[in-house]
Amino acid sequence: MEEKELSDFGRPSAGDSDVEIGPERESGPDKNHRLSVQSTKPPMGLAHEIAFVVLASSAQLFTQAALAESIAPLNIMSKDFGNPSPGQQSWFTAAHSLTVGTFILIAGRLGDMFGHKKLFVFGWFWFSFWSLISGFTVYSHSQIFLDICRALQGIGPAVLLPSSLAILGQAYPPGRRKEMVFSFFGATAPNGFTLGAVFSGIMAQLAWWPWTFWLMAIFCCVNGVLAIFIIPNYFHQDDTASQKDTKQTFDWKGAVTGVLGLVLFNIAWNQAPIVGWSEPYIIVLLILGVLIFVAFLFIECRVDQPLVPVASFDSHVCFVLMCMALGWSSFGIWLYYIWQFTVNLQQNTPLNVAAQLAPTCVAGICAAFTVGKLLSKVPTSFIMMCAMIAFCIGNIIFAVLPVGRLYWKQLFWATLITPWGMDMSFPAATIILSNHVPRRHQGIAASLVTTVVNYSISWGLGIAGTVEVNVNNGGLTDADTLKGYRGAWYTGIGLSGLGAVVALAFIVSSLRHRPSQH
């Protein structure tokens, strides 16, 4: 595999013909030509381009809405499933995030092989079908059946996210227009969650919670139909000629070991709060998960066409993915336990909580477009550092929040600060990795970021759940329950704080090696 010399992450050397080169690396006529190329938009009219970007970004919007549709009405849903324990309730959300984060690896590679538009359309219809079935689980009264359907529902976003990001990555060459489009994509995350929380709250309080899933099924089906007509057919065609002489293969060994390792590891962490770490099968699952994932990394370093090009990872890639894992795991904790705190201890309704989280939409949009402006001017390590600090501050505010505190004195500020962690880290990471890989491997770049984001949410909830049940004395009183919630937030502080340390270390390392990069 040909090595690429990078002076800054996402800015390849001129010798790499597969990757677009940023204008800051060129001068004279070549620079002017490159600037004109980078400022061009996809070959479509303005109205078509707007519809194209909105539809592609809706994959992120609906993914986060699906996350909210089990968090917001959690207590209301639980009544139809026999009021399971808090550890069992966390699976309503963790099952969805687990499959979203796990199967993205496979979906990204399949999109590179067979075309991202095909996968994009398929993902909407799969998402629609299992949203429909998830609503009907109410008649079964089986929490396990709901968890299975939520897991299968999560495969839909797992297909959609890398396909949508790859489509955008193929449509826009590196430059300001691409940065703003990817920032818009990232800004849909907090808005998607809030939208999902509002609709699920309305359905749960005023109608019937299954309608949340049934409405999701309708909207996803409509998006699938629209994708057939709005997403152009030319994607992936430019790479066909260069791949004619290369037999495209699917890394089945990597797929099996990667999925199995991630699933077993995550099941162990999320099941432990329910049955306890003293159960032998929990330790067995955890050890097997780690060993199988090590085997996955070994395979990926040796196959010709891997699911994840591990051998080509440099320190920049590892730094970005590590920060994303630590930051987003803390964000999942922050978000999940907000609902538990405000509903169970503050006695708020799901709709009230959704209204209290509304500032996250405005803050998220501001953060995403701020990053779009700063990416070409500020080092990535500094942006990641700011994102980790925002995640950490959000968890600190809630870890010291007393029951009954006026919303405007404390919670409001958390909703303004924490989304900056989301929408600074996600657009930065997606743009960086998209620019880092060849155009034909945009699916792999997209899958790396979205895998880490969604898998980390599920993994973080498992760790926080373990801490909660071990410090809340059974949750018999409100004081004990609050102690458990704070233990979870302290866990979030530790994870995001570690992310900030990693970002700081990378900043120091970059400063030390700056003279040698010329």
Side-chain angles (χ1 to χ4, degrees):
M1 181 174 295
E2 183 181 357
E3 294 182 355
K4 302 182 180 72
E5 180 183 357
L6 300 175
S7 64
D8 191 15
F9 187 43
R11 296 176 185 172
S13 62
D16 188 352
S17 60
D18 274 327
V19 187
E20 303 275 359
I21 305 169
E24 65 279 0
R25 296 294 305 272
E26 301 178 77
S27 60
D30 290 339
K31 178 177 179 180
N32 294 331
H33 171 71
R34 180 63 65 183
L35 283 171
S36 65
V37 170
Q38 290 188 337
S39 62
T40 58
K41 62 180 182 178
M44 61 182 76
L46 179 60
H48 189 180
E49 183 184 5
I50 292 173
F52 166 73
V53 173
V54 169
L55 182 60
S57 301
S58 66
Q60 174 79 300
L61 185 83
F62 279 80
T63 298
Q64 301 305 320
L67 184 70
E69 66 184 353
S70 63
I71 292 180
L74 183 63
N75 291 341
I76 296 175
M77 289 175 61
S78 296
K79 294 177 182 178
D80 288 321
F81 296 96
N83 290 314
S85 67
Q88 292 171 320
Q89 290 178 16
S90 69
W91 271 110
F92 292 2
T93 303
H96 176 80
S97 293
L98 172 61
T99 51
V100 172
T102 301
F103 286 92
I104 284 175
L105 289 172
I106 296 175
R109 176 58 182 154
L110 290 175
D112 286 338
M113 291 178 63
F114 301 111
H116 295 290
K117 177 177 178 178
K118 295 177 182 177
L119 269 291
F120 189 69
V121 173
F122 170 79
W124 282 119
F125 289 122
W126 179 282
F127 199 173
S128 175
F129 177 78
W130 285 106
S131 295
L132 182 70
I133 301 301
S134 294
F136 284 112
T137 59
V138 65
Y139 296 109
S140 71
H141 302 291
S142 171
Q143 178 232 328
I144 295 177
F145 184 39
L146 173 63
D147 293 341
I148 292 173
C149 289
R150 285 283 283 163
L152 290 169
Q153 182 196 32
I155 296 177
V159 174
L160 286 172
L161 286 172
S163 299
S164 59
L165 284 167
I167 287 171
L168 292 176
Q170 289 177 334
Y172 294 93
R176 179 54 57 84
R177 199 180 192 96
K178 178 176 183 176
E179 291 171 354
M180 297 309 294
V181 167
F182 272 65
S183 296
F184 176 80
F185 186 97
T188 60
N191 291 278
F193 184 88
T194 302
L195 184 67
V198 169
F199 271 96
S200 59
I202 291 173
M203 293 299 105
Q205 287 182 226
L206 305 180
W208 195 24
W209 68 261
W211 273 107
T212 302
F213 293 90
W214 295 335
L215 286 174
M216 177 71 76
I218 294 171
F219 289 134
C220 289
C221 185
V222 170
N223 279 350
V225 174
L226 291 175
I228 297 173
F229 300 99
I230 292 178
I231 305 298
N233 293 319
Y234 60 76
F235 289 113
H236 210 62
Q237 290 178 355
D238 293 343
D239 299 321
T240 303
S242 64
Q243 295 181 9
K244 281 183 178 180
D245 299 329
T246 304
K247 182 180 179 181
Q248 295 295 298
T249 60
F250 185 77
D251 179 16
W252 289 105
K253 292 181 181 178
V256 172
T257 53
V259 169
L260 190 59
L262 290 173
V263 168
L264 291 179
F265 183 84
N266 199 282
I267 287 177
W269 273 107
N270 282 279
Q271 190 68 10
I274 301 174
V275 300
W277 283 99
S278 59
E279 287 290 332
Y281 80 87
I282 296 295
I283 304 300
V284 171
L285 288 178
L286 185 64
I287 294 174
L288 282 177
V290 172
L291 292 177
I292 293 173
F293 191 75
V294 170
F296 164 75
L297 297 177
F298 181 83
I299 291 170
E300 295 304 281
C301 290
R302 285 160 177 76
V303 297
D304 293 331
Q305 298 181 28
L307 286 177
V308 179
V310 176
S312 66
F313 284 4
D314 58 14
S315 59
H316 292 79
V317 175
C318 296
F319 149 70
V320 170
L321 296 181
M322 186 179 299
C323 283
M324 293 293 285
L326 293 169
W328 279 81
S329 60
S330 73
F331 173 73
I333 295 169
W334 178 85
L335 187 60
Y336 180 81
Y337 284 95
I338 281 178
W339 287 90
Q340 301 305 302
F341 176 84
T342 51
V343 171
N344 295 332
L345 298 182
Q346 301 270 61
Q347 303 301 315
N348 289 322
T349 65
L351 275 178
N352 284 336
V353 182
Q356 292 175 18
L357 293 179
T360 60
C361 298
V362 178
I365 292 173
C366 293
F369 286 104
T370 298
V371 171
K373 294 285 187 180
L374 293 178
L375 269 174
S376 58
K377 304 175 183 178
V378 178
T380 307
S381 52
F382 179 77
I383 292 177
M384 284 294 180
M385 177 74 174
C386 294
M388 296 303 107
I389 292 174
F391 283 133
C392 191
I393 291 175
N395 279 282
I396 290 173
I397 290 175
F398 273 97
V400 298
L401 177 65
V403 178
R405 174 65 60 85
L406 185 66
Y407 168 77
W408 300 104
K409 287 186 176 181
Q410 204 159 331
L411 195 152
F412 170 71
W413 298 104
T415 62
L416 286 182
I417 295 171
T418 312
W420 285 80
M422 291 174 58
D423 289 300
M424 291 184 76
S425 61
F426 187 85
T430 50
I431 292 171
I432 290 164
L433 267 72
S434 177
N435 292 346
H436 183 68
V437 302
R439 190 171 180 268
R440 65 179 179 273
H441 290 155
Q442 289 296 309
I444 293 177
S447 65
L448 279 174
V449 179
T450 47
T451 292
V452 171
V453 165
N454 289 279
Y455 188 83
S456 298
I457 291 174
S458 183
W459 172 67
L461 286 175
I463 297 176
T466 299
V467 173
E468 179 193 1
V469 299
N470 281 278
V471 301
N472 69 355
N473 300 319
L476 300 178
T477 66
D478 286 350
D480 288 335
T481 300
L482 178 60
K483 186 177 180 180
Y485 294 167
R486 285 180 172 168
W489 281 317
Y490 288 140
T491 304
I493 293 171
L495 291 169
S496 54
L498 180 58
V501 171
V502 172
L504 179 61
F506 193 80
I507 291 174
V508 173
S509 176
S510 299
L511 292 174
R512 287 179 178 176
H513 293 87
R514 177 170 290 181
S516 64
Q517 292 178 352
H518 294 288

